[in-house]
């Protein structure tokens, strides 16, 4: 049986940071819908051109576009043992589409670690975030600085600040999370899949909590 894990949490909770650690440890591909969109934006594909306005404004990309993109990604060879999903699903329609995609293969979502962080902390994290251009490795100027300022420790590429991390966009993304995504906490809790962790702790402690909670399930 394949293993499917969904990482849930508001913008800046640490989903991407934790996904890199977990995917390496449990050998599942890290599928980030945000990264897939950013790759398309960078390459200026048709999809990239279609979604750039939504991302710039911090709004959700429409469900049919997002679902199609993730479905195509999950059908690739490297996902045959499962995947670690980061940033998808974000709406009830996406959660149901995911359940349906997996059911067609006789699979289900196995666990949903939910990284809980209050809004005030999120703003501080996003305004200090630096991301690597080559592979999206994530740093924070205070909490997780790179060894050499402006350079990725892992692949040596430049670090940049995401356009949607500007103050006004961040606020919009957080509001949209509470309006459109936070209901998925109850959706997965009612299915006994939710594993809540305290995301305000240091990065290594959050990783440890996630691994401990996953051990019981995966
Ligand atoms: P996406 O890229 O998914 O952004 P997001 O959900 O807003 O999440 P972030 O990447 O901002 O935060 P994160 O939780 O990964 O935190 P990180 O680990 O970087 O989406 C971008 C856009 O794409 C969306 O706005 C939307 O337009 C579109 N989109 C994507 N998916 C979609 C979908 N399914 N449907 C529709 N539209 C979609 O950490 C943040 C910072 O905090 C870093 O600096 C990090 O170093 C630091 N940090 C992490 N953990 C800790 C810790 N424990 N203590 C201190 N600092 C920490």
């Amino acid at each position: 049986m394949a293993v499917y894990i969904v990482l849930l949490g508001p913008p800046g909770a640490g989903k991407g940071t934790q996904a890199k650690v977990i995917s390496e440890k449990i050998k599942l591909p890290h599928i980030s819908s945000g990264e897939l969109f950013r790759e398309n934006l960078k390459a200026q594909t048709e999809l990239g051109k279609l979604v750039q306005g939504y991302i710039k404004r911090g709004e959700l990309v429409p469900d049919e576009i997002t679902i199609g993109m993730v479905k195509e990604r999950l059908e690739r060879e490297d996902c045959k043992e499962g995947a670690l999903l980061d940033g998808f699903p974000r709406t009830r329609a996406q959660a149901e589409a995911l359940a349906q995609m997996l059911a067609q293969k006789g699979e289900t979502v196995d666990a949903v670690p939910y990284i809980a962080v209050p809004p005030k902390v999120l703003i501080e994290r996003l305004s200090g975030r630096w991301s690597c251009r080559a592979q999206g490795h994530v740093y924070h100027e205070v909490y997780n600085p790179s060894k050499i300022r402006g350079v990725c420790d892992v692949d040596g590429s430049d670090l940049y600040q995401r356009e949607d991390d500007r103050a006004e966009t961040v606020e919009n993304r957080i509001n949209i999370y509470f309006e459109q995504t936070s209901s998925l906490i109850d959706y997965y809790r009612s299915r006994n899949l939710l594993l809540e962790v305290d995301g305000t702790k240091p990065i290594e402690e959050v990783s440890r909590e996630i691994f401990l909670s996953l051990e019981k399930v995966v």
Side-chain angles (χ1 to χ4, degrees), residues 12 15-17 33 38 59 87 90 94 129 139 173 201:
K15 301 182 298 296
T17 301
S33 44
R38 282 187 288 280
E59 294 167 7
R90 256 175 157 97
Q94 292 180 15
R129 170 166 61 185
Y139 299 87
R173 285 163 58 203
K201 293 183 179 168

Side-chain angles (χ1 to χ4, degrees), residues 12-58:
K15 301 182 298 296
T17 301
Q18 297 300 334
K20 296 257 184 258
V21 181
I22 303 168
S23 74
E24 216 163 274
K25 182 146 178 181
I26 63 178
K27 310 280 178 237
L28 281 182
H30 168 201
I31 311 298
S32 155
S33 44
E35 275 303 313
L36 291 174
F37 284 133
R38 282 187 288 280
E39 281 164 19
N40 278 279
L41 271 174
K42 196 166 139 193
Q44 278 292 290
T45 63
E46 283 308 309
L47 177 69
K49 289 179 195 155
L50 196 63
V51 303
Q52 66 188 3
Y54 297 102
I55 294 185
K56 202 170 169 184
R57 294 188 295 273

Side-chain angles (χ1 to χ4, degrees), residues 9-18 32-35 37-38 54-55 58-63 66 86-90 94 125-126 128-130 138-141 143-144 162 164-165 173 199-203 206:
K15 301 182 298 296
T17 301
Q18 297 300 334
S32 155
S33 44
E35 275 303 313
F37 284 133
R38 282 187 288 280
Y54 297 102
I55 294 185
E59 294 167 7
L60 293 189
V61 174
D63 283 336
T66 308
D86 157 13
F88 181 92
R90 256 175 157 97
Q94 292 180 15
R125 286 197 186 168
L126 293 173
R129 170 166 61 185
W130 290 81
V138 179
Y139 299 87
H140 190 280
E141 54 197 29
Y143 304 119
N144 183 26
R162 274 169 46 177
D164 61 348
D165 281 348
R173 285 163 58 203
T200 62
K201 293 183 179 168
I203 294 173
V206 178

Side-chain angles (χ1 to χ4, degrees), residues 6-195:
V6 168
L7 272 183
L8 195 61
K15 301 182 298 296
T17 301
Q18 297 300 334
K20 296 257 184 258
V21 181
I22 303 168
S23 74
E24 216 163 274
K25 182 146 178 181
I26 63 178
K27 310 280 178 237
L28 281 182
H30 168 201
I31 311 298
S32 155
S33 44
E35 275 303 313
L36 291 174
F37 284 133
R38 282 187 288 280
E39 281 164 19
N40 278 279
L41 271 174
K42 196 166 139 193
Q44 278 292 290
T45 63
E46 283 308 309
L47 177 69
K49 289 179 195 155
L50 196 63
V51 303
Q52 66 188 3
Y54 297 102
I55 294 185
K56 202 170 169 184
R57 294 188 295 273
E59 294 167 7
L60 293 189
V61 174
D63 283 336
E64 61 277 17
I65 301 175
T66 308
I67 291 167
M69 175 184 74
V70 174
K71 186 168 192 291
E72 188 275 325
R73 180 65 188 85
L74 287 177
E75 280 163 1
R76 292 197 210 154
E77 184 62 18
D78 64 334
C79 293
K80 71 177 196 304
E81 301 295 331
L84 174 62
L85 288 155
D86 157 13
F88 181 92
R90 256 175 157 97
T91 62
R92 172 92 187 214
Q94 292 180 15
E96 284 168 355
L98 175 64
Q100 217 175 0
M101 273 176 229
L102 299 184
Q104 282 167 2
K105 304 193 243 191
E107 305 286 357
T108 54
V109 170
D110 295 284
V112 181
Y114 160 51
I115 308 176
V117 177
K120 205 176 129 238
V121 179
L122 300 173
I123 293 171
E124 196 193 351
R125 286 197 186 168
L126 293 173
S127 58
R129 170 166 61 185
W130 290 81
S131 308
C132 121
R133 274 200 204 282
Q135 298 180 63
H137 295 108
V138 179
Y139 299 87
H140 190 280
E141 54 197 29
V142 178
Y143 304 119
N144 183 26
S146 57
K147 291 191 182 87
I148 303 170
R149 198 181 161 83
V151 180
C152 177
D153 293 348
V154 184
D155 57 38
S157 71
D158 290 350
L159 301 183
Y160 76 105
Q161 288 200 288
R162 274 169 46 177
E163 204 183 348
D164 61 348
D165 281 348
R166 288 197 322 254
E168 64 279 17
T169 315
V170 161
E171 210 170 297
N172 198 26
R173 285 163 58 203
I174 294 172
N175 290 339
I176 285 175
Y177 167 81
F178 284 105
E179 284 161 21
Q180 299 188 42
T181 306
S182 60
S183 63
L184 292 183
I185 298 168
D186 284 338
Y187 175 90
Y188 284 119
R189 186 182 282 130
S190 68
R191 286 158 178 76
N192 282 326
L193 293 170
L194 200 81
L195 306 167

